[in-house]
Structure formats: structure tokens, C-alpha cells
Amino acid sequence: MRLLIVGTLEGQLITASKIAMDRGASVTHAATIEEMLKVLRAGRGADLVMADVGLDIADLIERLEGERFHLPVVACGVKTDATAAVGAIRAGAKEYIPLPPDPEMIAAVLAAVARDQSSIIYRDAAMASVVRLAEQIAPSDASVLVTGESGSGKEVISRYVHARSSRANRPFISINCAAIPEQLLESELFGHEKGAFTGAIARRIGKFEEANGGTLLLDEISEMDVRLQAKLLRAIQERVIDRVGGGKPVPVDIRIIATSNRDLAEAVRAGTFREDLLYRLNVVNLKLPPLRERPTDIVELASHFVERYARENGVRRRPISEEARRMLLANPWPGNVRELENTMHRAVLLAMGDEIDVDAIRMPDGSPIAPGRSADARLAADVAATAEAVSRALVGRTVADVERDLILDTLDHCLGNRTHAAKILGISIRTLRNKLNQYTDEGVNVPGPGEARIAVA
């Protein structure tokens, strides 16, 4: 676990550092947000940021997102600083730790991050065979290609392989090839020198160098431009990379794991993926079955998510009723584990009685799940219904009204998480925050983190 502590709370943060190191974490300290960014640009990396609540947490998170450092942030401060604590959570911090630090709380936060990164929940025989293969090949340095539908757990199994490899104590670095514009992906992978291109204000170490000695996950590699694939192939074959604007090769020692939700053999035939790169990546293939083909895992995962989100939201953990279990098992889950997770998170917040019943198992728009329908039929019906509803709803409305509803509905879908909502909307968190402040001033109900707007008939 790599912990980056940001701030200057004198002895309090020093104590927190010592507690974290006693619990096995490697700790780096930065006094300011700018120093934090310098540490991350230098490739020293982090799995968790613990920030002094006296800093501008919203700005800190926005700066991280702006430079594509996707890290969980925990705020910490003196116990009496309640207003700042609430502000930090609303800005996107995952947790607030009061100081002086409690060793058990520090340990719990570190354990939660580690657990989220490397745990895997399964019971079904179809998934068990994949896990057995993952355990068998984990100690090697062979490249691994993980395939499966979106939301089936490709990154989870990748972290599982890393955690059981000889590189487990070294970094696990992930990069989503589909989420980064083509013109920036090369710099993200291989780094760049200062002045290499417009906006390159300082040297930045790429993911290959950051992962040196550990594992690099190339998520959704099928989305990588074919021209960049040639440079990736050279890096894998020769174990050297060239920074953008750099003058000499840099040696690297990493294990490559790649994921794809598309048929790469078909992509090779279509000319969008290099055949020689596929051979390099596909030494071992871990093919994850979709959730509908591993029914024994559905209730197991649902119970796991109920326990997790009840704890995170500070609500009582309720068991899942028998009728709700039957509904979960009958649903085709086209979004796989990710869809199930979101559904159970919603159910934890909506449940009213002693159990999580069918009334709490709902779609994001509040409609009940319709079990037993095929994924394709359900998707087609949903698309048609949504298109018709959107068309009718927009007529006669102003652009400002439509924008407001879109922002608030997205925030509602993200359960009040500003950072996630801003990502989906394609705007900065600062822009989102300004819009929400405007709506609050206008008397509009804006949900806080973990809250959802409840429509009253």
C-alpha cells in the first residue's frame, strides 16, 4: 500500500505516517498540492491520498483529475473542524479521519483500500475454474489477456493475479486506454519531457516507468490506436521505452496484463489490432463468464455489496428477502457485476422494512426490474421507451431547464458523488460545483454525497 500524505498538520500527520508505516504502508509526504503533483508526475505513485482538511480539497481533487491521476482521497483534521469535514466529503473525499489519529481507524482505511483492490467474491463453478487458472499462472511473468463483457470483473481478476505474483509488493498500475484521448495516451504510457508538446510544463513519468518492477494493466486495449500499438509492441519485446521528446531509451521491468471486451481476433481481421501484439499479450487468456452464466455468484455478490454499502452509508444492514433473491436470480444482468453492484447500492438506500425486498430492487430511473426478459429485448425496449420519453419531455422547455435536470439526474444516479457526476457529464468538478451552488441559491433540492432525490407523486 502506497500512501501519499498532503498537508502540514505538524506532529499529527507525522503520527499518522508512523501508524501507517507500522501497518505496512510505504508513506510519501508533500506539504502542498503542487508538491503532491510533483511527486505523482515523478512516477512515485500512490494508492491513497490522505489530505489535510485545511487544504482546498475540491481543488486538490480537481487537480488530480485534471492530470488524470485517479486516486481515492481521504481528508483528515482536528476533531472540532466539523464544517471543513463536511465540505471535504461534499467535494469528493471518500472518508474523514479525525486527528489525533486513531491507529485502528488508520488501519481500517488502509485495509479497506487494499481489500477493494484485490478481493474477489465467487462461489459458482464457472468462476472458480477461472480463479484456479489465475492462481496457477500468477507466479510467472507471462503476459495475460483478460477477456469478458463490460462489468464482468476484468480489473478485479487482474489485481488478483498481481496480488499472488512475485511482484505483489511492487506497484500495480492501471490505465484505461479507452478513456484517454489518442493524442494523450502515448504520453500517459511512456511519459514526456518538459516542452515535448504544448502543455508539457514539466517532465512526467509514464505508467511504464511508474509500474517498474510491478504490473501494468492496459485496460480495454482494443481501443488503442494501431499506430501506438507498434510502440507498445517494442516496449514489451525490448523492455525499453522512449519518453515523448526524450533522447535516450529507458529500461523497464514490468509484467503486462491487458483486458478487452471485444474479440481481438476479429479486430486483427478488421485491421484495427496488430496480430503480433495479440500474440505477445495472449500468452495466457483468462476469459470471464458473464454474470448470467454464473448464477450461484449473484446472491453471494449481492450480499457482499449490501454489507459494504450499508457500512459505507452508515445504515443498518438488512438481509435480502427470498422474493428479492428470486428476482435477482431471474434478471439477465446485461451490465454484469457492475450493474448488480449499483443495484444493491441503490437497494441499501431505498429499503424501508426489516429486509431488502423487491420494492427496493429498482432500475436507476426508479422503475422496477423486469426479470426473465432477455438482455437484448430488455435493452431494445428500454432504448425505445427512453427515446420516446426524452422526445416528449424536451418539447416546450428551455435549454437551462434541460441542463439543470440533466445535471441533477446524473448527480442522483451517482448518489451525490460530485467527482463521478462531473466525469459522466464531461465537465470539470469546479463547473459542476458552480452549477450546484446556483441551483441551491434558486431553492432547488441538491443531493449531498450518499443521498438521492426522492420523487414524491
Side-chain angles (χ1 to χ4, degrees):
M1 171 63 64
R2 300 171 300 164
L3 177 63
L4 175 55
I5 295 182
V6 187
T8 56
L9 281 176
E10 300 176 351
Q12 304 287 12
L13 282 184
I14 293 174
T15 301
S17 298
K18 290 179 179 178
I19 292 171
M21 286 188 288
D22 289 343
R23 303 288 176 157
S26 62
V27 179
T28 304
H29 181 259
T32 65
I33 294 175
E34 194 57 48
E35 285 187 21
M36 171 195 73
L37 293 173
K38 288 180 180 178
V39 168
L40 295 173
R41 290 175 190 143
R44 293 161 70 181
D47 298 305
L48 176 68
V49 173
M50 183 181 293
D52 178 353
V53 78
L55 298 170
D56 186 339
I57 301 297
D59 181 58
L60 181 148
I61 292 174
E62 185 174 4
R63 297 284 295 279
L64 286 173
E65 295 289 340
E67 298 206 24
R68 299 172 301 285
F69 294 117
H70 304 296
L71 300 170
V73 175
V74 171
C76 56
V78 295
K79 291 181 178 180
T80 56
D81 204 354
T83 302
V86 171
I89 296 295
R90 287 182 174 171
K94 301 294 184 184
E95 186 61 82
Y96 175 78
I97 298 177
L99 299 176
D102 181 332
E104 294 307 314
M105 180 172 284
I106 297 286
V109 170
L110 296 177
V113 173
R115 182 173 60 249
D116 287 347
Q117 290 181 343
S118 62
S119 63
I120 184 167
I121 308 297
Y122 69 96
R123 286 184 61 188
D124 198 277
M127 191 64 187
S129 63
V130 178
V131 173
R132 283 195 299 270
L133 179 57
E135 292 173 343
Q136 183 178 342
I137 58 94
S140 74
D141 272 344
S143 297
V144 181
L145 179 62
V146 183
T147 57
E149 295 179 5
S150 293
S152 57
K154 296 187 290 295
E155 182 168 350
V156 173
I157 197 73
S158 300
R159 290 184 179 275
Y160 188 84
V161 169
H162 171 74
R164 283 148 186 80
S165 73
S166 59
R167 300 172 180 264
N169 293 325
R170 303 294 295 168
F172 177 94
I173 305 300
S174 172
I175 181 168
N176 188 329
C177 302
I180 300 173
E182 176 188 336
Q183 63 271 23
L184 294 178
L185 185 55
E186 181 177 1
S187 170
E188 285 290 310
L189 285 170
F190 305 115
H192 63 252
E193 298 291 347
K194 181 178 181 179
F197 51 83
T198 302
I201 59 175
R203 170 189 281 185
R204 175 164 174 167
I205 298 302
K207 300 302 184 184
F208 265 83
E209 287 182 82
E210 188 179 343
N212 194 38
T215 301
L216 177 61
L217 173 63
L218 301 171
D219 198 15
E220 302 302 350
I221 195 170
S222 56
E223 305 306 312
M224 181 182 291
D225 184 80
V226 70
R227 291 169 295 182
L228 186 54
Q229 292 173 25
K231 191 167 185 177
L232 173 61
L233 179 63
R234 174 179 178 267
I236 295 173
Q237 290 181 159
E238 301 182 18
R239 293 181 175 270
V240 295
I241 57 103
D242 296 305
R243 297 193 195 112
V244 178
K248 62 178 182 178
V250 179
V252 291
D253 171 27
I254 60 174
R255 181 188 199 168
I256 295 288
I257 301 179
T259 77
S260 177
N261 61 6
R262 293 170 53 193
D263 185 342
L264 290 185
E266 180 60 35
V268 168
R269 289 190 289 272
T272 59
F273 202 83
R274 293 180 62 111
E275 186 173 28
D276 46 4
L277 178 58
L278 176 57
Y279 290 146
R280 278 286 176 181
L281 296 173
N282 197 21
V283 177
V284 179
N285 181 219
L286 296 177
K287 185 175 181 179
L288 295 184
L291 192 55
R292 61 184 173 276
E293 294 179 8
R294 37 191 278 220
T296 311
D297 286 348
I298 293 175
V299 173
E300 186 80 8
L301 284 163
S303 298
H304 166 73
F305 293 135
V306 166
E307 182 174 343
R308 172 181 171 182
Y309 287 112
R311 181 177 64 250
E312 290 187 5
N313 289 282
V315 300
R316 177 166 59 90
R317 184 192 182 283
R318 297 174 171 88
I320 304 171
S321 73
E322 283 301 319
E323 190 176 355
R325 287 170 182 252
R326 287 193 293 271
M327 174 179 278
L328 294 174
L329 289 168
N331 195 59
W333 300 112
N336 291 293
V337 179
R338 186 180 297 119
E339 182 186 4
L340 176 63
E341 179 178 0
N342 291 341
T343 299
M344 299 319 296
H345 191 172
R346 210 160 33 243
V348 166
L349 300 176
L350 296 178
M352 301 295 290
D354 294 331
E355 295 181 311
I356 293 179
D357 209 346
V358 291
D359 290 341
I361 311 294
R362 293 187 169 271
M363 301 290 287
D365 63 359
S367 63
I369 287 179
R373 294 164 59 186
S374 71
D376 290 342
R378 179 175 149 198
L379 179 59
D382 286 349
V383 169
T386 301
E388 183 179 1
V390 169
S391 178
R392 290 178 178 175
L394 293 180
V395 175
R397 304 187 63 199
T398 66
V399 172
D401 285 343
V402 173
E403 179 189 62
R404 182 192 62 215
D405 286 352
L406 175 62
I407 289 175
L408 292 177
D409 286 345
T410 303
L411 188 64
D412 191 42
H413 172 74
C414 296
L415 297 172
N417 188 302
R418 271 66 172 158
T419 303
H420 292 172
K423 281 184 185 177
I424 293 172
L425 291 164
I427 60 178
S428 72
I429 195 169
R430 187 181 298 277
T431 298
L432 176 60
R433 191 167 63 248
N434 290 339
K435 290 286 185 183
L436 296 179
N437 288 338
Q438 173 190 331
Y439 301 152
T440 300
D441 292 340
E442 293 170 355
V444 177
N445 177 26
V446 175
E451 299 176 354
R453 291 184 302 151
I454 305 298
V456 180

